[in-house]
Amino acid sequence: MRVAVIGAGAVGGLLAALLDRAGHDVEVTARGEHLAAIRADGIALDGGYGSHVARVTAGEVLGTRPELAILATKGQDAEAALRANAAVLEGVPLLVVQNGLGGIRVAGEVLPGSPLVGGLALFATSYLSPGRITVTAALPIVIGGAPGTDPAVVERFATLLGGALSVEVVERLEDAQWTKLLINHVNALPAITGLSVQQTVEDPALLRVLAASLRETVRIANRIGIRFAGLQGIPGWVLPWLGRGPLALAARLPRLLARRMGDVPNPGSTLQSIRRGQLTEIDFLNGAVVRVAREHGLDAPINAALVALVHDVERTGTFLSSAEVARRVPTSGRV
Ligand SMILES: NC(=O)C1=CN([C@@H]2O[C@H](COP(=O)(O)OP(=O)(O)OC[C@H]3O[C@@H](n4cnc5c(N)ncnc54)[C@H](OP(=O)(O)O)[C@@H]3O)[C@@H](O)[C@H]2O)C=CC1
Ligand SMILES: CC(C)(CO)C(=O)C(=O)O
């Protein structure tokens, strides 16, 4: 099948390489040195999904109309990347593989004629040097139709991806996006400290901050009536309780997630942007919590403090110690 991947970084590069390995005709978009490396030598994949060099067609924009398309940019780049390819993509079914809550809405605005499916990557993958993608945790991808999308379109993506990696289909995409947003609370502290997710949960001061940010988000979600889907074997009904108990209870989720990531250090996608000297997606992760809280007349001071610290590190390029983080994030306050 002719498949396009818009934004062949850590996630998009992995999916493009796996689809190429599975025999599909893959075209990708990328930029700068990464694009030059892919054009010269292909996408070099290694790690948990095995090694493969994918010699795919690559450009700044797509040259050919695909049968199915995948968007895998960071949240802040989605609209521009879609607009640059809108003429080719309009009407083509699109899978939006993105963390945060807003990717489907943006895609619907730019491509009103395209059936949309959301993708939540549970695997962990790194793009730290041009052309190279390394999988640090080979976990599945979860997909679900946007409201109004024909289930047959979801099935087409499930069949496409199922030939390359493990896929789970969810009924209620928005509930799953909220659960993934909780999981992505592990992203901010590595971006602030330079540590891996696994090192972050091993540091008692950082684990406390992480648990406090999670508990704050669950309390807000409980107040505004959010339902969490079950994801990664964690039943959805358990998650509201993380907002009602002590920090030690909320800390169990990141500890479990870090264990499932295994022994290979996972920087998370936000620290990878810092390491590449780029702006991060934090406004779409903890920043989305702050925004949704405000819309409902609530405060999210812990999430807001984490967003501010990530922006500090983007500006200064200097990581903070765990003691400094503990000093600057107000974990004792109530939501
Ligand atoms: N990495 C991971 O393990 C996981 C990531 N995710 C989520 O998946 C999404 C993608 O993340 P990730 O793959 O890590 O991000 P990356 O930054 O690694 O990849 C995004 C790629 O898109 C490229 N890009 C951005 N805008 C354009 C454009 N207009 N035209 C062409 N290429 C463009 C970027 O180029 P450039 O480098 O020049 O910016 C980059 O190569 C995010 O929402 C992330 O939160 C979810 C689960 C796991
Ligand atoms: C779950 C996790 C942390 C995997 O790396 C992720 O979604 C990300 O890095 O954005």
Side-chain angles (χ1 to χ4, degrees):
M1 184 174 301
R2 227 171 31 254
V3 186
V5 177
I6 315 293
V11 168
L14 165 63
L15 294 176
L18 293 181
L19 291 171
D20 175 76
R21 187 165 71 182
H24 296 286
D25 178 5
V26 180
E27 178 172 9
V28 304
T29 75
R31 319 188 272 207
E33 285 185 335
H34 187 48
L35 173 58
I38 295 174
R39 277 180 164 153
D41 301 314
I43 299 171
L45 174 70
D46 62 15
Y49 278 119
S51 297
H52 175 62
V53 176
R55 297 194 182 277
V56 294
T57 308
E60 280 184 9
V61 292
L62 295 175
T64 312
R65 185 176 171 85
E67 291 161 85
L68 293 176
I70 299 172
L71 173 74
T73 64
K74 293 265 169 50
Q76 66 272 21
D77 294 322
E79 182 171 351
L82 287 175
R83 285 204 190 283
N85 294 285
V88 175
L89 285 181
E90 180 57 19
V92 173
L94 179 74
L95 172 69
V96 179
V97 186
Q98 221 156 53
N99 287 327
L101 303 171
I104 290 283
R105 183 187 45 74
V106 169
E109 284 165 11
V110 181
L111 301 173
S114 288
L116 300 176
V117 176
L120 300 166
L122 303 182
F123 51 73
T125 170
S126 286
Y127 146 48
L128 289 166
S129 60
R132 300 201 66 85
I133 308 293
T134 300
V135 175
T136 59
L139 295 167
I141 187 166
V142 168
I143 66 171
T149 295
D150 183 344
V153 176
V154 181
E155 209 35 60
R156 281 183 78 190
F157 279 107
T159 304
L160 172 76
L161 295 172
L165 76 166
S166 165
V167 185
E168 295 167 17
V169 175
V170 286
E171 286 301 320
R172 295 176 55 91
L173 177 64
E174 196 189 338
D175 300 357
Q177 284 176 319
W178 268 93
T179 306
K180 186 70 203 296
L181 189 62
L182 273 192
I183 292 173
N184 285 114
H185 281 56
V186 303
N187 286 43
L189 286 163
I192 295 166
T193 60
L195 299 174
S196 67
V197 174
Q198 291 95 330
Q199 287 170 316
T200 300
V201 303
E202 287 306 318
D203 180 307
L206 294 179
L207 182 61
R208 182 181 164 79
V209 171
L210 175 47
S213 69
L214 256 164
R215 189 172 68 173
E216 179 178 86
T217 298
V218 175
R219 285 180 177 176
I220 290 162
N222 290 348
R223 290 272 296 273
I224 67 177
I226 296 299
R227 294 202 331 202
F228 292 107
L231 221 53
Q232 276 195 294
I234 305 156
W237 63 265
V238 166
L239 296 172
W241 291 95
L242 302 188
R244 298 184 185 127
L247 282 181
L249 182 66
R252 290 175 73 163
L253 180 62
R255 293 178 85 126
L256 174 70
L257 295 170
R259 259 202 315 280
R260 296 217 176 136
M261 284 170 194
D263 294 334
V264 184
N266 175 18
S269 57
T270 313
L271 173 56
Q272 290 176 48
S273 296
I274 299 270
R275 289 212 185 282
R276 296 198 305 263
Q278 294 171 324
L279 296 179
T280 74
E281 197 182 28
I282 200 67
D283 290 338
F284 294 77
L285 303 177
N286 303 76
V289 176
V290 176
R291 214 165 29 252
V292 171
R294 277 198 196 124
E295 283 164 13
H296 289 81
L298 301 170
D299 276 337
I302 300 170
N303 280 281
L306 289 172
V307 171
L309 288 185
V310 173
H311 286 315
D312 278 356
V313 177
E314 284 171 350
R315 240 184 342 265
T316 63
T318 305
F319 293 122
L320 304 187
S321 67
S322 77
E324 181 68 4
V325 174
R327 201 179 62 71
R328 290 177 58 180
V329 182
T331 55
S332 56
R334 284 190 56 78
V335 178

